[in-house]
Every structure is written in structure tokens, then in C-alpha cells.
Amino acid sequence: MTNHLTSRQAEELHKSIIAYLTAAGLSQSADSLRSELNLTDTFDDATRKKYEGLLEKKWTSVVRLQKKIMDLETRAQNLQSELDSATPTSLSRRNADPTTWLPRSPARHTLQSHRQGVTCVAFHPIFSSLASGGEDTTIKIWDYELGELERTVKGHTRAVLDIDYGGPRGGTLLASCSSDLTIKLWDPSDDYKNIRTLPGHDHSVSAVRFIPSGSAGAPLSGNLLVSASRDRTLRIWDVTTGYCIKTLRSHGDWVRDVFPSIDGRWLLSVGEDRTARIWDAGTGECKNAISAHDHVIECCCFAPASSYPYLSDLAGLKKPPPPSSSAEYLATGARDKMIRLWDARGTLIKTLVGHDNWIRALVFHPGGKYLLSVADDKTLRCWDLAQECKCVKVLDDAHGHFVSSLRWAPSVYKDPAATGAQTNGVVNGTKKEESKEQIRCVIATGSVDLNVRVFAS
């Protein structure tokens, strides 16, 4: 047999094997090998301790490197496939225009640390931090650019069901809600210290979102938070005092999701009563109730102003609503495997069919042209609003199990006096801020397969 090792490498391998056998309690095998290799005199306890564990480390590192090589080969193959099918014009346009960017496989990072399914993800509005919550009761904070775990935040006693970044101007907070009936506020600037716990709901709190204030200079900041619960209510909280200032009652069953408009004037909620409801956030009055699906509605979102031209065409309008109008169109996703687009009056514009299981999360592309969705069929789908909502891209291998959550990284703005960042992937509708917006081509997904995945340009 050809010897591929130098004499020094062979000696280290032999000593590592003997140390492994000794640690495993196979002393006779270790003594026999030591005798055959004439290492009886040179292999003492100090040598054994030096080489103990080395074989296992080498073995696991080889397996890890093999997996890394396979991932890189797959990525290279996918990139080559895209390159072969692309024209120089389309490549230059895609690289230059983030408004047409769509995620592609493989993911840039697969983040692993949760011990049970991942239920939610959220991006920090300024820094490259990504939070994820799971059924293991923990919140994980990641650096999504480096793909590294920064910290684990503990405090909830049952599954974390939703998280969101936001809060007062200059004082970004992380809010979380849980099956333990509580909402918790964490301070990212103070090592994610739990600064406040908001009790009040009588059942699991399924969704939580900061409500933008729409104030000049920092319209996305705000002191208010909205939560949705299995107790059939929505609650609006003042995060500076911890008081519940409004309780919204109209749903007939579990409220699954809630989404605020970009100016904070309106709230959209959906739930197990199969309705989508639009609320006046100031008065707490339900302005419209839409019988939206034939099954439980899992997720919802308002469309950004950048989507108005495409959605108004679908609705048959001659011109789109003004960008300053914040809640003209909405999307809902349900367990009937369908996504539906509506105007605020409750008129159905389009039904999107393609997923093979429950729809779990929706997000509009900040550029306005696309709607992205994830579902329990393990896929991520991209729908082109300019092509009659045709499904133009499917990531079949988004995850190995049900995909539970989806978020788009907040945009940044050139003018420091402007918003600074958007929240939850929603684009501010004013022309002044749109012209200064820089879309970040980064999305994150979470899954029952315990993984968080980051897709980026």
C-alpha cells in the first residue's frame, strides 16, 4: 500500500489512535498496537493526554469540510446554471436594479442553534442583526452578514410565537410574544436585557408588531405596539409605560396575525374566524370585515405604495391611488392553500394558486413588483404582480420542513434626517423618501427543520 503520510504524520496518527483506544477503555488493543509500533517506552501519560481527543477532532472536521465542499459545489452548479441561461443584458440589469432582485438557492447562510422549530424571524432596522424565536422558548440573535450566532436571549417559559424590532426614536427595542401569555420588551443596546413584561392577554399571544408613528423626521419610530391573541382580541400598548391603552374586540375566534400600515393609522388582522379586519388604530373601531377565505387565515400584510401601480392595474383602475394613502391594498394567506389580494373596501382583486399546503407568511418586495410567500409545502414562491400575479420563481429547497416565517431586511435611506430604515420590509410611500431608499436584497426564513436561512444578493 502506498504511504501518503510523512513519517511525522504517521507517528501522530498512531499516537492518536492509541490515545483514542485508551480513552475508549480498549486497553488491550491499545497495548497491542503500541507494542507493534515500538512505542512502549515513548508513549507515557503526558503523551496520551496530548493526543487524547485529537482523532475525534480530525474526524469531525473532515466530515464538516466534506459537507462544506458539497454545499459549495451545489452553489457553484446553480450559479453556473443561472449564468448559462442569462444574457449579458439581464445580468447587468439584475446587478444594477435591486427592485427586480429575487432570492435564489442555495441560501447564503443556514443558521443552526434552535433545539425546536423556528416560529419567527425579524431584522434590526439599522444593524446587521437578525432575531429568531422558537418553540424551544428562546430568542437567538444572529449577525446575518457573517452568519454567526451573537447571543441567546432567555425569558419566556413557553414557545416564542412572534418577534419584531421597533420602538421610540433613537431607542430600538425588540418585542416578543409567547404561548406563556406575555409580551416581553428587550433592549438591544443593553445586551438584550428584559426591560418590561406586558401581561394582560388571557391566552397565547400569536403576533406582535410595533406601530409606526408617521411623525416628521422619524415616521417609523413610535411608542405603540399591537398584539394579537388566541383570546380573540387585539391590544395596543404604550411601550414606555407598559400600559394597555386599547383592547380591540370583533374577531370571533383566535387572531392569528396583525399588520400595521406604514403611517400607523390602520391595522390589519386575520384569524381563525376566516375574516380579515381593518381597524382605525386611533379609535380602535373596526372599519371593515372581509370574509376572505374558506379556512383559517394565517398571515396578512398591507401592500406598500410601490405596489399600487401594479395592483391598480389588476383592479382595473385607470390610475393608482396616491402614495400618501397607506392602506389601499392588502394580501391574505390561509390554510386553504390560497393567497388573495384585496382592496381596502373588500373587493377581491386576485387569487394566487400554487402552494400545496398552508400559507404561513407573506411579504411584498420593497420594489413593489413582487409578492413573496412561504408555506408548509417547504417552498418559497415569488409572484409577479406585473404579469397577472404569475408565479415566476419557486425555491423548492427553501427548507427541509414546513416554512413558518419570512421577513425582508429593512431598507436604508441616504438622508439621515429621513426614516433611517423601514420596518418589516414595508416601503414608505412618500416620494421624498422613496427617492432616497436603498433596498437591501436580504430575506430570512425560519422553519420547523430548526434552521434559519438567509438569502442575499
Side-chain angles (χ1 to χ4, degrees):
M1 184 179 70
T2 305
N3 189 1
H4 297 287
L5 301 177
T6 66
S7 57
R8 179 181 176 82
Q9 289 172 332
E11 182 183 355
E12 289 191 343
L13 176 60
H14 295 154
K15 290 179 178 178
S16 299
I17 294 173
I18 294 169
Y20 171 76
L21 293 172
T22 304
L26 304 173
S27 56
Q28 290 184 352
S29 299
D31 292 340
S32 176
L33 181 58
R34 190 162 54 216
S35 176
E36 285 191 39
L37 295 172
N38 295 320
L39 294 174
T40 308
D41 298 329
T42 59
F43 197 88
D44 52 16
D45 285 342
T47 306
R48 178 181 57 78
K49 289 180 181 179
K50 177 182 176 182
Y51 287 95
E52 199 170 86
L54 183 61
L55 189 64
E56 295 96 315
K57 289 177 184 176
K58 295 284 187 183
W59 182 268
T60 53
S61 65
V62 167
V63 173
R64 190 164 59 249
L65 287 171
Q66 285 177 330
K67 183 179 183 300
K68 184 70 173 177
I69 290 169
M70 291 173 65
D71 290 344
L72 289 171
E73 286 177 343
T74 302
R75 185 172 183 179
Q77 186 177 356
N78 289 335
L79 289 172
Q80 186 62 52
S81 177
E82 282 199 22
L83 192 62
D84 292 341
S85 61
T87 64
T89 304
S90 67
L91 280 172
S92 62
R93 183 172 62 249
R94 183 175 62 191
N95 291 336
D97 188 5
T99 62
T100 60
W101 177 83
L102 292 174
R104 63 171 182 253
S105 291
R108 173 175 289 186
H109 299 297
T110 296
L111 310 176
Q112 299 175 319
S113 182
H114 283 285
R115 291 174 295 162
Q116 295 183 49
V118 180
T119 56
C120 49
V121 292
F123 285 96
H124 193 287
I126 301 171
F127 305 122
S128 60
S129 293
L130 171 67
S132 61
E135 293 176 0
D136 58 6
T137 77
T138 70
I139 301 167
K140 306 282 184 179
I141 309 298
W142 313 83
D143 185 317
Y144 66 78
E145 289 184 346
L146 299 176
E148 296 177 353
L149 178 66
E150 291 185 341
R151 71 178 64 246
T152 298
V153 180
K154 297 180 180 180
H156 285 291
T157 57
R158 298 188 68 182
V160 179
L161 299 182
D162 201 15
I163 49 179
D164 193 37
Y165 281 101
R169 183 174 186 176
T172 300
L173 301 174
L174 176 67
S176 62
C177 63
S178 168
S179 298
D180 64 12
L181 318 190
T182 69
I183 300 161
K184 290 183 180 290
L185 300 176
W186 315 84
D187 186 357
S189 66
D190 190 13
D191 295 328
Y192 284 87
K193 179 182 178 182
N194 179 207
I195 60 170
R196 201 176 293 279
T197 298
L198 311 178
H201 279 293
D202 298 325
H203 215 313
S204 297
V205 189
S206 44
V208 64
R209 289 289 184 277
F210 282 96
I211 302 175
S213 66
S215 61
L220 294 174
S221 63
N223 296 335
L224 300 182
L225 182 77
V226 62
S227 57
S229 171
R230 194 174 178 177
D231 66 10
R232 306 182 181 186
T233 70
L234 299 167
R235 289 176 182 259
I236 298 176
W237 310 81
D238 186 327
V239 297
T240 57
T241 64
Y243 292 144
C244 174
I245 58 177
K246 284 188 185 70
T247 300
L248 283 55
R249 294 183 173 90
S250 182
H251 277 284
D253 209 328
W254 188 341
V255 189
R256 284 283 182 172
D257 197 15
V258 63
F259 195 96
S261 65
I262 194 66
D263 59 3
R265 291 182 58 197
W266 308 100
L267 301 174
L268 172 63
S269 62
V270 295
E272 294 208 357
D273 61 4
R274 306 178 185 184
T275 67
R277 295 175 186 264
I278 299 175
W279 308 79
D280 185 318
T283 65
E285 180 183 355
C286 180
K287 292 294 186 180
N288 196 6
I290 306 168
S291 296
H293 290 266
D294 296 327
H295 209 321
V296 172
I297 308 175
E298 288 282 346
C299 51
C300 62
C301 58
F302 280 122
S306 55
S307 293
Y308 289 1
Y310 308 104
L311 294 172
S312 60
D313 282 347
L314 288 172
L317 301 180
K318 292 183 179 180
K319 66 176 185 177
S324 57
S325 184
S326 63
E328 290 291 336
Y329 300 102
L330 55 121
T332 55
R335 293 184 184 179
D336 59 11
K337 310 175 189 177
M338 296 179 184
I339 300 165
R340 287 185 168 153
L341 301 175
W342 310 82
D343 67 19
R345 292 177 295 279
T347 304
L348 178 62
I349 297 173
K350 193 76 176 178
T351 298
L352 284 56
V353 180
H355 280 292
D356 294 328
N357 213 328
W358 297 357
I359 314 297
R360 287 296 191 178
L362 301 169
V363 63
F364 279 94
H365 192 299
K369 189 183 177 186
Y370 302 100
L371 175 68
L372 279 65
S373 59
V374 294
D376 281 356
D377 61 6
K378 310 176 189 178
T379 69
L380 185 155
R381 292 177 182 261
C382 306
W383 312 83
D384 190 340
L385 306 182
Q387 297 187 52
E388 293 287 323
C389 297
K390 177 184 177 182
C391 182
V392 293
K393 191 159 195 176
V394 181
L395 300 189
D396 289 312
D397 55 348
H399 281 277
H401 212 309
F402 301 158
V403 189
S404 60
S405 49
L406 167 69
R407 288 288 186 96
W408 195 292
S411 294
V412 293
Y413 294 85
K414 294 180 182 178
D415 183 1
T419 62
Q422 70 181 35
T423 302
N424 307 326
V426 181
V427 182
N428 194 305
T430 64
K431 290 182 179 178
K432 179 181 178 181
E433 286 164 355
E434 273 192 321
S435 65
K436 299 177 185 298
E437 182 187 9
Q438 293 178 318
I439 296 173
R440 284 197 280 187
C441 300
V442 184
I443 68 167
T445 57
S447 170
V448 176
D449 66 6
L450 316 188
N451 295 329
V452 176
R453 287 199 165 141
V454 177
F455 298 85
S457 59

